[in-house]
Amino acid sequence: MRFGRHPECEVSFDATRDIDASSRHAELRPPSAGVEQWMLVDVGSSNGTYPDGKRVTELPVSPGHPVVVDFGPSGPSLRLFIGTEEQVVLLGAPPAPVTRSNRT
């Protein structure tokens, strides 16, 4: 699954509003043989990928554990969760967004 401003990305951000997100910013890659974790990979974005506020090039994503990801320091943000439909229902609404001026 690809994230970015390019219209061919499965998760496509607004091309004019979300300028901190690169056109091809990151990919969520499925587990390889013998590995349970998915991998969120920054594919060379200029502004970085920030799960839970820390810049990374790769992040293992375990099923059942939500992570908030910012695409660029002031870019779009989303909550990434891998799980069953039942787990999604139990997850509930995402937390209220933090204003960019309050982030450290």
Side-chain angles (χ1 to χ4, degrees):
M1 177 177 293
R2 299 167 296 176
F3 301 84
R5 290 184 293 125
H6 195 280
E8 291 181 3
C9 291
E10 287 80 12
V11 178
S12 183
F13 303 118
D14 187 287
T16 56
R17 189 184 68 202
D18 297 325
I19 58 173
D20 268 7
S22 295
S23 59
R24 290 181 175 88
H25 197 105
E27 294 179 354
L28 181 62
R29 298 179 180 165
S32 56
V35 178
E36 291 186 27
Q37 292 181 321
W38 291 66
M39 188 68 69
L40 180 65
V41 179
D42 184 299
V43 292
S45 70
S46 56
N47 289 317
T49 301
Y50 296 83
D52 296 325
K54 296 178 177 71
R55 188 172 183 160
V56 300
T57 55
E58 293 186 346
L59 175 75
V61 180
S62 300
H65 299 281
V67 60
V68 175
V69 180
D70 295 324
F71 296 87
S74 298
S77 179
L78 60 83
R79 180 171 61 167
L80 180 60
F81 181 78
I82 299 168
T84 65
E85 288 184 35
E86 292 82 15
Q87 289 174 314
V88 170
V89 170
L90 293 174
L91 188 61
V98 176
T99 60
R100 302 280 181 203
S101 61
N102 292 339
R103 291 187 180 176
T104 55

